[in-house]
Amino acid sequence: MALGLSVDRSSPVPLYFQLAQQLEAAIERGTLTPGSLLGNEIELAARLGLSRPTVRQAIQSLVDKGLLVRRRGVGTQVVHSQVKRPLELSSLYDDLEAAGQRPATKVLVNTVVPASAEVAAALGVAEDSEVHRIERLRLAHGEPMAYLINHLPSGLLELDTGQLEATGLYRLMRSAGITLHSARQSIGARAATFDEAERLGEEEGAPLLTMQRATFDDTGRAVEFGTHTYRPSRYSFEFQLLVRS
Amino acid sequence: MALGLSVDRSSPVPLYFQLAQQLEAAIERGTLTPGSLLGNEIELAARLGLSRPTVRQAIQSLVDKGLLVRRRGVGTQVVHSQVKRPLELSSLYDDLEAAGQRPATKVLVNTVVPASAEVAAALGVAEDSEVHRIERLRLAHGEPMAYLINHLPSGLLELDTGQLEATGLYRLMRSAGITLHSARQSIGARAATFDEAERLGEEEGAPLLTMQRATFDDTGRAVEFGTHTYRPSRYSFEFQLLVRS
DNA sequence: GTAGTCCGATTGTCCGGACATACGGATTGA
DNA sequence: TCAATCCGTATGTCCGGACAATCGGACTAC
């Protein structure tokens, strides 16, 4: 097959990664059609001038992403389903932007407060110690969409209101050198209180979608604790899961 | 350190898997405390009589699970946070059982119907072709908790009402030899219609948590499409995410 | 005292090979 | 005709080694 696979040994990009990218691109592009066999690893390695472990590493990374399926004695084939991207730690801002909605943010509160018991527990800091508190209203097409309350440990990040209105919190954290690693989420629903309804332009008692999330960086340190409410008519959580085998 | 690590070469269980399990157990047990270094791979391999790639494979699997963090030039250490288990494709039945709630199921509908356009699209079958339809009421402590509507392609599974009341749908599928692979989920909220409220013992207009999910097996074939409504006072979605690096 | 440099330690990448295991089709036997 | 067996094929596991890249601390020079 003319997949045009090739690797550049002078590049600093790892060989297995180059191969994985090319395979993923071929799947995305439709050159590798769902259900089609990938050709055996030995032969593929020989064709590319790579060793089998390297080829396997590339393939494995795509299997982990859910793009390929390996079956012993059969071969490796492209998953034939509409499942494309697995779950990511999503950012509302990025989600909206990807959907072409041009999100806007209004920062309502950006201050330092003593940590409540709940916040302290979530962030793993002492109660009443100083934490940043920001409250933001997220809009799409001029309509309120979500009300976001976040707490961050102090000293982690400069929280500039202007920047917060121009981009998302996660992006700010990443550009400050923080590598996000994992998060604990809880998604529920409840009736809007009067204040909540007011802020989001809903009626009191209207259903709201709620999300609480504690985010951790790669050292396991809590870097953010958020309590968000969404207008369910404007937003729902969409994601793909992979089963752990 | 006296971690008591050892592998059984006569076991059919892969060596890297044995090691991974023992390391995970040690972390769970607290023998390996958060933040502690794991000792370098070379020495660990020598101590266990394994090769370095095997040890690396074990460690990598735990890194993928989010239990360990590797840093070049430093070593591998246990993540120090409360993040323990990453996201799984959760089964409401298993969730409830794990929480010690002794779930009960009432099967209200178990029949074969022509596929609606929505169902046909989700399952990847022709419109009006035959699909199974089941409607179940899930109770915990005698209280209604969720109303579950599921559609399955015909010929996939024997859907015995008795079995459906005794266990969960996912467990049934797994024991029928279906390997679940991935799912596409959408979680939202809305106000209960009169009928929905009736079924769940809520008031009309009360907030409901909704979930739609299409599940795929390892060949990418859709095996189930579910439309569920939950009482938010009784249930919320809890899960951990890992960031894809 | 401070900044730059060097160096040991540790993980990251890659190789080539060996044998085990499971799947599916072909062959063989009843 | 149908079922059990054999066998080729492809992935799964494991080994031992080599060199590169990066981190952090120690040392050195200014």
Side-chain angles (χ1 to χ4, degrees):
Chain A
M1 64 188 83
L3 274 176
L5 293 175
S6 65
V7 291
D8 175 9
R9 299 197 87 98
S10 66
S11 162
V13 178
L15 301 179
Y16 78 91
F17 194 79
Q18 292 185 36
L19 178 54
Q21 278 187 319
Q22 291 182 31
L23 289 174
E24 186 168 1
I27 294 171
E28 197 69 34
R29 199 171 54 232
T31 313
L32 278 173
T33 56
S36 65
L37 271 304
L38 202 58
N40 76 54
E41 297 168 353
I42 314 259
E43 192 261 344
L44 191 54
R47 189 143 51 94
L48 289 166
L50 297 173
S51 73
R52 190 178 163 220
T54 302
V55 172
R56 275 182 69 78
Q57 194 174 359
I59 292 177
Q60 187 60 47
S61 71
L62 296 182
V63 171
D64 290 341
K65 275 194 185 178
L67 292 173
L68 298 177
V69 182
R70 336 176 74 142
R71 270 188 294 166
R72 190 183 286 202
V74 178
T76 304
Q77 47 185 316
V78 182
V79 166
H80 49 258
S81 77
Q82 50 276 65
V83 180
K84 280 292 180 269
R85 259 180 295 172
L87 177 62
E88 296 181 31
L89 181 48
S90 66
S91 146
L92 175 57
Y93 190 91
D94 293 344
D95 285 355
L96 292 175
E97 200 172 52
Q101 301 229 14
R102 268 189 245 109
T105 307
K106 209 183 288 179
V107 174
L108 304 175
V109 175
N110 182 359
T111 181
V112 173
V113 299
S116 69
E118 183 188 24
V119 169
L123 291 181
V125 300
E127 205 172 328
D128 294 327
S129 66
E130 286 200 337
V131 293
H132 286 282
R133 177 189 180 92
I134 55 179
E135 296 187 28
R136 294 169 295 167
L137 187 65
R138 183 84 65 174
L139 311 132
H141 300 307
E143 282 277 318
M145 184 150 202
Y147 192 78
L148 316 171
I149 303 175
N150 289 86
H151 289 89
L152 289 81
S154 66
L156 192 70
L157 193 60
E158 297 280 308
L159 285 169
D160 178 70
T161 299
Q163 284 190 310
L164 278 172
E165 304 213 324
T167 182
L169 180 58
Y170 276 14
R171 235 181 258 180
L172 273 184
M173 292 206 278
R174 272 191 257 259
S175 62
I178 299 173
T179 32
L180 269 24
H181 181 261
S182 60
R184 185 161 210 311
Q185 287 197 350
S186 173
I187 297 176
R190 67 155 189 271
T193 64
F194 179 82
D195 286 345
E196 288 173 331
E198 189 87 338
R199 291 191 289 237
L200 289 171
E202 292 272 349
E203 302 284 316
E204 185 176 351
L208 291 184
L209 191 58
T210 66
M211 191 255 278
Q212 278 203 326
R213 170 158 68 186
T215 311
F216 305 89
D217 72 0
D218 57 1
T219 69
R221 181 182 49 165
V223 294
E224 178 256 342
F225 175 61
T227 302
H228 301 176
T229 52
Y230 303 86
R231 295 177 75 180
S233 57
R234 306 299 170 109
Y235 187 73
S236 61
F237 293 95
E238 315 261 348
F239 49 87
Q240 271 121 15
L241 305 188
L242 296 180
V243 175
R244 305 194 323 114
S245 52
Chain B
M1 67 188 85
L3 274 177
L5 293 175
S6 65
V7 291
D8 175 10
R9 298 197 89 95
S10 66
S11 162
V13 178
L15 300 179
Y16 77 89
F17 194 80
Q18 292 184 37
L19 177 55
Q21 279 187 317
Q22 291 181 31
L23 289 175
E24 186 167 1
I27 293 170
E28 196 71 34
R29 200 171 53 230
T31 312
L32 278 172
T33 56
S36 64
L37 271 304
L38 202 58
N40 77 54
E41 299 169 351
I42 315 256
E43 193 261 345
L44 190 56
R47 188 143 51 97
L48 290 166
L50 297 172
S51 72
R52 188 177 163 219
T54 302
V55 171
R56 273 183 70 78
Q57 195 174 358
I59 292 177
Q60 188 58 48
S61 71
L62 297 183
V63 171
D64 290 342
K65 278 192 183 178
L67 292 174
L68 297 178
V69 182
R70 337 174 74 144
R71 271 190 293 166
R72 189 183 289 200
V74 178
T76 304
Q77 46 184 320
V78 181
V79 165
H80 50 258
S81 80
Q82 49 276 66
V83 179
K84 280 294 179 263
R85 259 179 287 176
L87 177 62
E88 296 181 33
L89 183 47
S90 68
S91 146
L92 175 57
Y93 190 90
D94 294 344
D95 284 355
L96 293 175
E97 201 173 49
Q101 302 230 14
R102 267 187 247 109
T105 307
K106 209 185 286 181
V107 174
L108 304 174
V109 174
N110 182 357
T111 181
V112 172
V113 298
S116 68
E118 183 189 24
V119 169
L123 290 180
V125 301
E127 204 172 329
D128 293 328
S129 66
E130 287 199 337
V131 294
H132 286 282
R133 179 190 178 93
I134 56 179
E135 296 187 26
R136 294 170 293 166
L137 188 65
R138 184 86 85 206
L139 311 133
H141 302 306
E143 282 278 320
M145 184 149 200
Y147 192 79
L148 316 171
I149 302 175
N150 290 85
H151 289 89
L152 289 81
S154 66
L156 191 71
L157 191 60
E158 298 279 309
L159 285 170
D160 178 68
T161 298
Q163 284 189 309
L164 277 172
E165 305 213 322
T167 181
L169 180 58
Y170 277 13
R171 234 183 258 181
L172 273 183
M173 292 206 278
R174 269 190 258 259
S175 61
I178 300 173
T179 30
L180 269 23
H181 180 260
S182 60
R184 187 162 208 309
Q185 288 195 348
S186 173
I187 298 176
R190 66 156 189 272
T193 65
F194 179 81
D195 286 346
E196 288 173 330
E198 189 87 339
R199 291 192 290 237
L200 289 172
E202 292 271 352
E203 302 284 317
E204 186 176 349
L208 291 183
L209 191 58
T210 67
M211 192 257 279
Q212 277 203 325
R213 169 158 68 186
T215 311
F216 305 90
D217 72 0
D218 55 2
T219 69
R221 181 182 50 166
V223 294
E224 178 257 342
F225 176 61
T227 301
H228 301 177
T229 52
Y230 304 85
R231 296 176 75 179
S233 55
R234 306 300 169 109
Y235 187 74
S236 60
F237 293 95
E238 314 260 348
F239 50 86
Q240 269 123 16
L241 305 188
L242 295 180
V243 176
R244 312 183 33 75
S245 51

